[in-house]
């Protein structure tokens, strides 16, 4: 279909109704995805919308109480795992009139507050906050103002719904995999954390705790070794450098995220070591580049697409019924073993 020519004036719902030869009420129902519209009527209206190039007036819709926009806050746009979540989210919303608008949280509470307040000020119908580090009080305040789903935090709230991976179990999958290969000197690169709320609820802290518990469960409490840097490529590079400088270096590194593992692989190559012949590396997230043949990274799959789809589903439910009890979805991770992990060197 040809791209509609820009009209000399703004196309209105009345124009669409006349073009489709239906009532304005029918057009409104189609735009709202409401009940009582036959498939034939829906197709006719949508064809008229496409032919006329009709765009709903967001300001007018906002005055009527709905803008059909959903704000999504990302902590770090460089982390490829968040793209998996966005894919699941947008796929679930594909058959609705909702549009997703992104805002970077920049891994800071002040920045997160600015983004969430800006989204609220623009009358967005709902918010999805991915791995926010804001205080519980701030999250509860946001959720009391606008329907909200929090992704990647393990805390429970009556104000908002949440979706998270079982990060504790995921960390144990990595440790068990490496121990079963014969490793005992297994180190972990974590994201440095000091805030009480974040230590209790954030994935990085839960994974670090899961690593330590799994090491103790396998009789390796004395081998626990953690480099505390950041969940970034630079953090992985610096963390691996620290671990490789130990008097007795580890034979395996569990990086808390795939992007951390990328930095660790860089530091290992720079040190003249081979993966996995000299040292094994495992990540977390199973991002798309983990499966690239030159990398072939062992990683924990936390089903990012499912996380996004569940977040979208919960938000639509919350928008439809603000009073329903809060829901928590917990997904079970799986380990995907690839070429970066192998038995430790014999020497």
């Amino acid at each position: 279909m040809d791209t509609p020519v820009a009209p000399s004036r703004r196309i209105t719902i009345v124009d669409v109704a006349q073009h489709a030869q239906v009532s304005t009420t029918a057009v409104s129902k189609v735009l709202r995805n409401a009940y009582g519209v036959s498939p034939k009527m829906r197709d006719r209206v949508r064809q008229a919308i496409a032919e006329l190039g009709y765009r709903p007036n967001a300001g007018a819709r906002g005055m009527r109480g709905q803008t059909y926009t959903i704000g999504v806050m990302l902590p770090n746009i460089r982390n490829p795992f968040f793209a998996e979540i966005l894919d699941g989210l947008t796929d679930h919303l594909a058959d609705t009139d909702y549009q997703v608008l992104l805002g970077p949280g920049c891994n800071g509470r002040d920045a997160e507050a600015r983004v969430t307040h800006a989204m609220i000020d623009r009358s967005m119908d709902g918010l999805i906050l991915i791995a926010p580090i804001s205080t519980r009080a701030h999250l509860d305040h946001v959720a009391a103002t606008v329907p909200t789903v929090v992704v990647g935090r393990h805390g429970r709230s009556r104000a908002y719904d949440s979706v998270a991976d079982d990060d504790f179990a995921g960390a144990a999958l990595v440790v068990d995999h490496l121990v079963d290969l014969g490793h005992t000197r297994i180190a972990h690169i974590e994201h440095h954390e000091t805030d009480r709320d974040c230590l209790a609820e954030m994935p990085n802290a839960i994974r670090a705790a899961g690593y330590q518990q799994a090491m103790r469960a396998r009789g390796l409490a004395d081998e626990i070794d953690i480099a505390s840097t950041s969940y970034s490529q630079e953090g992985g590079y610096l963390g691996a450098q620290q671990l490789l400088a130990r008097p007795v270096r580890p034979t395996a590194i569990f990086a808390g995220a795939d992007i951390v593992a990328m930095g660790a692989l860089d530091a290992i190559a720079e040190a003249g070591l081979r993966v996995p012949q000299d040292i094994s590396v495992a990540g977390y997230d199973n991002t798309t580049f983990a499966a690239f043949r030159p990398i072939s990274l062992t990683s924990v799959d936390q089903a990012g697409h499912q996380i996004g789809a569940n977040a979208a589903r919960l938000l639509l439910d919350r928008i439809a019924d603000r009073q329903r009890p809060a829901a928590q979805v917990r997904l079970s991770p799986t380990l995907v073993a690839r070429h970066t992990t192998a038995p430790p060197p014999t020497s």
Side-chain angles (χ1 to χ4, degrees):
M1 182 181 294
D2 294 335
T3 302
V5 177
S8 57
R9 63 175 179 83
R10 187 179 187 93
I11 299 296
T12 68
I13 191 173
V14 174
D15 297 318
V16 174
Q18 292 175 348
H19 191 77
Q21 296 183 333
V22 300
S23 68
T24 56
T25 300
V27 176
S28 178
K29 284 185 176 181
V30 171
L31 291 173
R32 291 183 288 110
N33 201 27
Y35 293 108
V37 180
S38 68
K40 183 177 180 180
M41 177 76 73
R42 192 180 304 278
D43 290 343
R44 182 189 299 178
V45 171
R46 291 200 178 279
Q47 182 177 354
I49 288 172
E51 290 175 354
L52 295 177
Y54 170 73
R55 298 294 305 153
N57 188 314
R61 295 175 96 175
M63 292 177 66
R64 294 195 298 269
Q66 200 163 10
T67 61
Y68 292 93
T69 56
I70 290 174
V72 178
M73 188 198 70
L74 300 169
N76 181 354
I77 60 175
R78 292 180 176 85
N79 190 328
F81 175 63
F82 298 138
E84 307 284 341
I85 297 177
L86 287 174
D87 281 347
L89 194 160
T90 54
D91 283 352
H92 190 84
L93 296 174
D95 293 330
T96 73
D97 288 325
Y98 284 98
Q99 294 297 317
V100 172
L101 300 179
L102 304 180
C106 303
N107 289 311
R109 285 182 171 174
D110 290 343
E112 285 188 3
R114 286 194 297 271
V115 169
T116 53
H117 290 155
M119 290 176 172
I120 292 171
D121 291 345
R122 285 157 178 79
S123 300
M124 294 188 181
D125 294 335
L127 304 183
I128 294 177
L129 310 180
I130 300 178
I133 62 172
S134 296
T135 63
R136 294 175 186 170
H138 176 73
L139 295 178
D140 284 340
H141 170 73
V142 170
T145 307
V146 62
T148 300
V149 174
V150 172
V151 172
R153 279 184 67 147
H154 291 260
R156 301 174 68 92
S157 171
R158 294 181 179 179
Y160 55 81
D161 304 299
S162 62
V163 185
D165 167 62
D166 190 341
D167 295 287
F168 197 86
L173 291 176
V174 176
V175 172
D176 288 341
H177 168 68
L178 293 170
V179 173
D180 290 345
L181 287 173
H183 293 274
T184 56
R185 299 198 304 274
I186 304 167
H188 178 55
I189 302 176
E190 70 165 3
H191 180 88
H192 180 67
E193 199 69 79
T194 58
D195 179 81
R196 181 178 299 177
D197 284 356
C198 290
L199 284 170
E201 298 182 4
M202 293 299 288
N204 51 286
I206 303 298
R207 289 172 199 172
Y211 155 77
Q212 295 180 67
Q213 176 58 35
M215 290 288 283
R216 287 191 289 266
R218 298 301 295 260
L220 299 174
D222 292 341
E223 300 293 346
I224 292 174
D225 188 3
I226 296 177
S228 188
T229 56
S230 67
Y231 268 15
S232 65
Q233 189 166 345
E234 181 184 15
Y237 177 82
L238 295 175
Q241 280 191 323
Q242 293 177 25
L243 296 172
L244 295 178
R246 303 282 202 251
V248 179
R249 71 169 184 250
T251 61
I253 294 176
F254 165 31
D258 283 359
I259 194 169
V260 179
M262 293 301 104
L265 291 173
D266 191 23
I268 291 168
E270 184 178 85
L273 299 173
R274 299 167 301 164
V275 175
Q277 292 89 339
D278 299 314
I279 187 167
S280 288
V281 176
Y284 204 110
D285 291 335
N286 197 33
T287 48
T288 52
F289 64 70
F292 288 171
R293 192 177 301 274
I295 300 173
S296 192
L297 177 69
T298 293
S299 184
V300 174
D301 187 350
Q302 58 170 326
H305 193 277
Q306 291 184 40
I307 289 176
N310 275 282
R313 175 181 60 82
L314 289 176
L315 187 61
L316 294 182
D317 290 347
R318 175 65 57 190
I319 291 171
D321 182 5
R322 293 291 302 273
Q323 303 306 315
R324 71 170 180 78
Q328 291 81 34
V329 174
R330 181 75 59 85
L331 299 178
S332 298
T334 57
L335 182 80
V336 181
R338 297 191 179 94
H339 295 162
T340 58
T341 52
T346 55
S347 58

PDB file of all heavy atoms in Angstrom, residues 123-145:
ATOM      1  N   SER A 123       1.002  11.860  30.922  1.00  0.00           N
ATOM      2  CA  SER A 123      -0.250  11.096  31.001  1.00  0.00           C
ATOM      3  C   SER A 123      -0.171   9.736  30.330  1.00  0.00           C
ATOM      4  O   SER A 123      -1.121   9.277  29.705  1.00  0.00           O
ATOM      5  CB  SER A 123      -1.402  11.908  30.389  1.00  0.00           C
ATOM      6  OG  SER A 123      -1.573  13.127  31.069  1.00  0.00           O
ATOM      7  N   MET A 124       0.980   9.064  30.458  1.00  0.00           N
ATOM      8  CA  MET A 124       1.074   7.721  29.905  1.00  0.00           C
ATOM      9  C   MET A 124       0.160   6.789  30.699  1.00  0.00           C
ATOM     10  O   MET A 124      -0.016   6.938  31.902  1.00  0.00           O
ATOM     11  CB  MET A 124       2.519   7.235  29.924  1.00  0.00           C
ATOM     12  CG  MET A 124       3.406   8.049  28.985  1.00  0.00           C
ATOM     13  SD  MET A 124       5.056   7.364  28.790  1.00  0.00           S
ATOM     14  CE  MET A 124       5.760   8.597  27.666  1.00  0.00           C
ATOM     15  N   ASP A 125      -0.416   5.826  30.004  1.00  0.00           N
ATOM     16  CA  ASP A 125      -1.406   4.954  30.630  1.00  0.00           C
ATOM     17  C   ASP A 125      -0.788   3.973  31.614  1.00  0.00           C
ATOM     18  O   ASP A 125      -1.478   3.466  32.500  1.00  0.00           O
ATOM     19  CB  ASP A 125      -2.165   4.176  29.560  1.00  0.00           C
ATOM     20  CG  ASP A 125      -3.012   5.083  28.683  1.00  0.00           C
ATOM     21  OD1 ASP A 125      -3.382   6.175  29.149  1.00  0.00           O
ATOM     22  OD2 ASP A 125      -3.286   4.709  27.536  1.00  0.00           O
ATOM     23  N   GLY A 126       0.480   3.661  31.448  1.00  0.00           N
ATOM     24  CA  GLY A 126       1.140   2.719  32.336  1.00  0.00           C
ATOM     25  C   GLY A 126       2.635   2.766  32.153  1.00  0.00           C
ATOM     26  O   GLY A 126       3.136   3.259  31.134  1.00  0.00           O
ATOM     27  N   LEU A 127       3.351   2.244  33.139  1.00  0.00           N
ATOM     28  CA  LEU A 127       4.815   2.237  33.098  1.00  0.00           C
ATOM     29  C   LEU A 127       5.336   0.825  33.342  1.00  0.00           C
ATOM     30  O   LEU A 127       4.785   0.081  34.159  1.00  0.00           O
ATOM     31  CB  LEU A 127       5.403   3.162  34.167  1.00  0.00           C
ATOM     32  CG  LEU A 127       4.982   4.633  34.177  1.00  0.00           C
ATOM     33  CD1 LEU A 127       5.745   5.375  35.272  1.00  0.00           C
ATOM     34  CD2 LEU A 127       5.202   5.273  32.825  1.00  0.00           C
ATOM     35  N   ILE A 128       6.406   0.483  32.634  1.00  0.00           N
ATOM     36  CA  ILE A 128       7.161  -0.741  32.899  1.00  0.00           C
ATOM     37  C   ILE A 128       8.581  -0.310  33.243  1.00  0.00           C
ATOM     38  O   ILE A 128       9.265   0.301  32.420  1.00  0.00           O
ATOM     39  CB  ILE A 128       7.146  -1.692  31.694  1.00  0.00           C
ATOM     40  CG1 ILE A 128       5.723  -2.206  31.446  1.00  0.00           C
ATOM     41  CG2 ILE A 128       8.104  -2.864  31.919  1.00  0.00           C
ATOM     42  CD1 ILE A 128       5.584  -3.092  30.227  1.00  0.00           C
ATOM     43  N   LEU A 129       8.991  -0.592  34.458  1.00  0.00           N
ATOM     44  CA  LEU A 129      10.306  -0.179  34.943  1.00  0.00           C
ATOM     45  C   LEU A 129      11.201  -1.406  35.004  1.00  0.00           C
ATOM     46  O   LEU A 129      10.926  -2.352  35.747  1.00  0.00           O
ATOM     47  CB  LEU A 129      10.186   0.463  36.335  1.00  0.00           C
ATOM     48  CG  LEU A 129       9.120   1.564  36.472  1.00  0.00           C
ATOM     49  CD1 LEU A 129       9.104   2.103  37.902  1.00  0.00           C
ATOM     50  CD2 LEU A 129       9.359   2.685  35.466  1.00  0.00           C
ATOM     51  N   ILE A 130      12.261  -1.391  34.197  1.00  0.00           N
ATOM     52  CA  ILE A 130      13.158  -2.543  34.104  1.00  0.00           C
ATOM     53  C   ILE A 130      14.347  -2.353  35.032  1.00  0.00           C
ATOM     54  O   ILE A 130      15.106  -1.398  34.900  1.00  0.00           O
ATOM     55  CB  ILE A 130      13.628  -2.753  32.659  1.00  0.00           C
ATOM     56  CG1 ILE A 130      12.414  -3.004  31.748  1.00  0.00           C
ATOM     57  CG2 ILE A 130      14.610  -3.919  32.573  1.00  0.00           C
ATOM     58  CD1 ILE A 130      12.762  -3.165  30.285  1.00  0.00           C
ATOM     59  N   ALA A 131      14.469  -3.274  35.999  1.00  0.00           N
ATOM     60  CA  ALA A 131      15.566  -3.277  36.979  1.00  0.00           C
ATOM     61  C   ALA A 131      15.795  -1.904  37.604  1.00  0.00           C
ATOM     62  O   ALA A 131      16.926  -1.419  37.631  1.00  0.00           O
ATOM     63  CB  ALA A 131      16.849  -3.800  36.337  1.00  0.00           C
ATOM     64  N   PRO A 132      14.757  -1.248  38.119  1.00  0.00           N
ATOM     65  CA  PRO A 132      14.953   0.064  38.729  1.00  0.00           C
ATOM     66  C   PRO A 132      15.708  -0.054  40.053  1.00  0.00           C
ATOM     67  O   PRO A 132      15.528  -1.022  40.798  1.00  0.00           O
ATOM     68  CB  PRO A 132      13.521   0.564  38.966  1.00  0.00           C
ATOM     69  CG  PRO A 132      12.733  -0.694  39.170  1.00  0.00           C
ATOM     70  CD  PRO A 132      13.353  -1.711  38.230  1.00  0.00           C
ATOM     71  N   ILE A 133      16.541   0.943  40.345  1.00  0.00           N
ATOM     72  CA  ILE A 133      17.261   0.951  41.618  1.00  0.00           C
ATOM     73  C   ILE A 133      16.657   1.957  42.587  1.00  0.00           C
ATOM     74  O   ILE A 133      17.200   2.186  43.659  1.00  0.00           O
ATOM     75  CB  ILE A 133      18.765   1.258  41.407  1.00  0.00           C
ATOM     76  CG1 ILE A 133      18.950   2.652  40.796  1.00  0.00           C
ATOM     77  CG2 ILE A 133      19.413   0.189  40.551  1.00  0.00           C
ATOM     78  CD1 ILE A 133      20.412   3.080  40.740  1.00  0.00           C
ATOM     79  N   SER A 134      15.536   2.545  42.223  1.00  0.00           N
ATOM     80  CA  SER A 134      14.857   3.499  43.098  1.00  0.00           C
ATOM     81  C   SER A 134      14.427   2.825  44.399  1.00  0.00           C
ATOM     82  O   SER A 134      14.306   1.596  44.480  1.00  0.00           O
ATOM     83  CB  SER A 134      13.625   4.072  42.394  1.00  0.00           C
ATOM     84  OG  SER A 134      13.985   4.815  41.253  1.00  0.00           O
ATOM     85  N   THR A 135      14.167   3.640  45.413  1.00  0.00           N
ATOM     86  CA  THR A 135      13.736   3.105  46.695  1.00  0.00           C
ATOM     87  C   THR A 135      12.349   2.485  46.562  1.00  0.00           C
ATOM     88  O   THR A 135      11.585   2.807  45.648  1.00  0.00           O
ATOM     89  CB  THR A 135      13.673   4.211  47.759  1.00  0.00           C
ATOM     90  OG1 THR A 135      12.689   5.183  47.372  1.00  0.00           O
ATOM     91  CG2 THR A 135      15.028   4.894  47.914  1.00  0.00           C
ATOM     92  N   ARG A 136      12.019   1.613  47.493  1.00  0.00           N
ATOM     93  CA  ARG A 136      10.681   1.019  47.497  1.00  0.00           C
ATOM     94  C   ARG A 136       9.623   2.109  47.615  1.00  0.00           C
ATOM     95  O   ARG A 136       8.555   2.023  46.998  1.00  0.00           O
ATOM     96  CB  ARG A 136      10.552   0.036  48.647  1.00  0.00           C
ATOM     97  CG  ARG A 136      11.444  -1.185  48.539  1.00  0.00           C
ATOM     98  CD  ARG A 136      11.334  -2.029  49.790  1.00  0.00           C
ATOM     99  NE  ARG A 136      12.269  -3.144  49.802  1.00  0.00           N
ATOM    100  CZ  ARG A 136      12.494  -3.909  50.869  1.00  0.00           C
ATOM    101  NH1 ARG A 136      11.843  -3.670  51.985  1.00  0.00           N
ATOM    102  NH2 ARG A 136      13.360  -4.910  50.802  1.00  0.00           N
ATOM    103  N   ALA A 137       9.913   3.119  48.427  1.00  0.00           N
ATOM    104  CA  ALA A 137       8.952   4.202  48.636  1.00  0.00           C
ATOM    105  C   ALA A 137       8.659   4.925  47.322  1.00  0.00           C
ATOM    106  O   ALA A 137       7.508   5.263  47.029  1.00  0.00           O
ATOM    107  CB  ALA A 137       9.470   5.183  49.683  1.00  0.00           C
ATOM    108  N   HIS A 138       9.705   5.155  46.510  1.00  0.00           N
ATOM    109  CA  HIS A 138       9.496   5.841  45.232  1.00  0.00           C
ATOM    110  C   HIS A 138       8.687   4.963  44.280  1.00  0.00           C
ATOM    111  O   HIS A 138       7.772   5.454  43.599  1.00  0.00           O
ATOM    112  CB  HIS A 138      10.828   6.199  44.591  1.00  0.00           C
ATOM    113  CG  HIS A 138      10.697   6.826  43.230  1.00  0.00           C
ATOM    114  ND1 HIS A 138      10.248   8.104  43.041  1.00  0.00           N
ATOM    115  CD2 HIS A 138      10.927   6.315  41.982  1.00  0.00           C
ATOM    116  CE1 HIS A 138      10.210   8.379  41.746  1.00  0.00           C
ATOM    117  NE2 HIS A 138      10.619   7.310  41.083  1.00  0.00           N
ATOM    118  N   LEU A 139       9.000   3.675  44.230  1.00  0.00           N
ATOM    119  CA  LEU A 139       8.263   2.773  43.347  1.00  0.00           C
ATOM    120  C   LEU A 139       6.793   2.703  43.751  1.00  0.00           C
ATOM    121  O   LEU A 139       5.905   2.699  42.898  1.00  0.00           O
ATOM    122  CB  LEU A 139       8.893   1.379  43.373  1.00  0.00           C
ATOM    123  CG  LEU A 139      10.314   1.258  42.818  1.00  0.00           C
ATOM    124  CD1 LEU A 139      10.817  -0.175  42.960  1.00  0.00           C
ATOM    125  CD2 LEU A 139      10.385   1.704  41.359  1.00  0.00           C
ATOM    126  N   ASP A 140       6.525   2.635  45.051  1.00  0.00           N
ATOM    127  CA  ASP A 140       5.144   2.609  45.523  1.00  0.00           C
ATOM    128  C   ASP A 140       4.416   3.902  45.164  1.00  0.00           C
ATOM    129  O   ASP A 140       3.235   3.887  44.804  1.00  0.00           O
ATOM    130  CB  ASP A 140       5.098   2.389  47.036  1.00  0.00           C
ATOM    131  CG  ASP A 140       5.381   0.942  47.429  1.00  0.00           C
ATOM    132  OD1 ASP A 140       5.233   0.056  46.567  1.00  0.00           O
ATOM    133  OD2 ASP A 140       5.744   0.714  48.588  1.00  0.00           O
ATOM    134  N   HIS A 141       5.135   5.029  45.253  1.00  0.00           N
ATOM    135  CA  HIS A 141       4.532   6.326  44.906  1.00  0.00           C
ATOM    136  C   HIS A 141       4.181   6.367  43.416  1.00  0.00           C
ATOM    137  O   HIS A 141       3.085   6.810  43.044  1.00  0.00           O
ATOM    138  CB  HIS A 141       5.494   7.459  45.243  1.00  0.00           C
ATOM    139  CG  HIS A 141       5.065   8.793  44.700  1.00  0.00           C
ATOM    140  ND1 HIS A 141       4.013   9.510  45.240  1.00  0.00           N
ATOM    141  CD2 HIS A 141       5.524   9.530  43.649  1.00  0.00           C
ATOM    142  CE1 HIS A 141       3.843  10.627  44.547  1.00  0.00           C
ATOM    143  NE2 HIS A 141       4.743  10.661  43.587  1.00  0.00           N
ATOM    144  N   VAL A 142       5.102   5.898  42.581  1.00  0.00           N
ATOM    145  CA  VAL A 142       4.839   5.873  41.134  1.00  0.00           C
ATOM    146  C   VAL A 142       3.633   4.989  40.836  1.00  0.00           C
ATOM    147  O   VAL A 142       2.731   5.360  40.082  1.00  0.00           O
ATOM    148  CB  VAL A 142       6.082   5.373  40.374  1.00  0.00           C
ATOM    149  CG1 VAL A 142       5.745   5.113  38.902  1.00  0.00           C
ATOM    150  CG2 VAL A 142       7.213   6.387  40.476  1.00  0.00           C
ATOM    151  N   ALA A 143       3.617   3.795  41.447  1.00  0.00           N
ATOM    152  CA  ALA A 143       2.539   2.841  41.182  1.00  0.00           C
ATOM    153  C   ALA A 143       1.192   3.331  41.699  1.00  0.00           C
ATOM    154  O   ALA A 143       0.144   2.945  41.165  1.00  0.00           O
ATOM    155  CB  ALA A 143       2.875   1.496  41.802  1.00  0.00           C
ATOM    156  N   ALA A 144       1.204   4.163  42.732  1.00  0.00           N
ATOM    157  CA  ALA A 144      -0.048   4.729  43.227  1.00  0.00           C
ATOM    158  C   ALA A 144      -0.592   5.783  42.276  1.00  0.00           C
ATOM    159  O   ALA A 144      -1.787   6.094  42.294  1.00  0.00           O
ATOM    160  CB  ALA A 144       0.171   5.333  44.608  1.00  0.00           C
ATOM    161  N   THR A 145       0.286   6.323  41.415  1.00  0.00           N
ATOM    162  CA  THR A 145      -0.102   7.382  40.487  1.00  0.00           C
ATOM    163  C   THR A 145      -0.535   6.836  39.137  1.00  0.00           C
ATOM    164  O   THR A 145      -1.488   7.331  38.524  1.00  0.00           O
ATOM    165  CB  THR A 145       1.071   8.358  40.284  1.00  0.00           C
ATOM    166  OG1 THR A 145       1.527   8.824  41.573  1.00  0.00           O
ATOM    167  CG2 THR A 145       0.659   9.555  39.441  1.00  0.00           C
TER     168      THR A 145
END
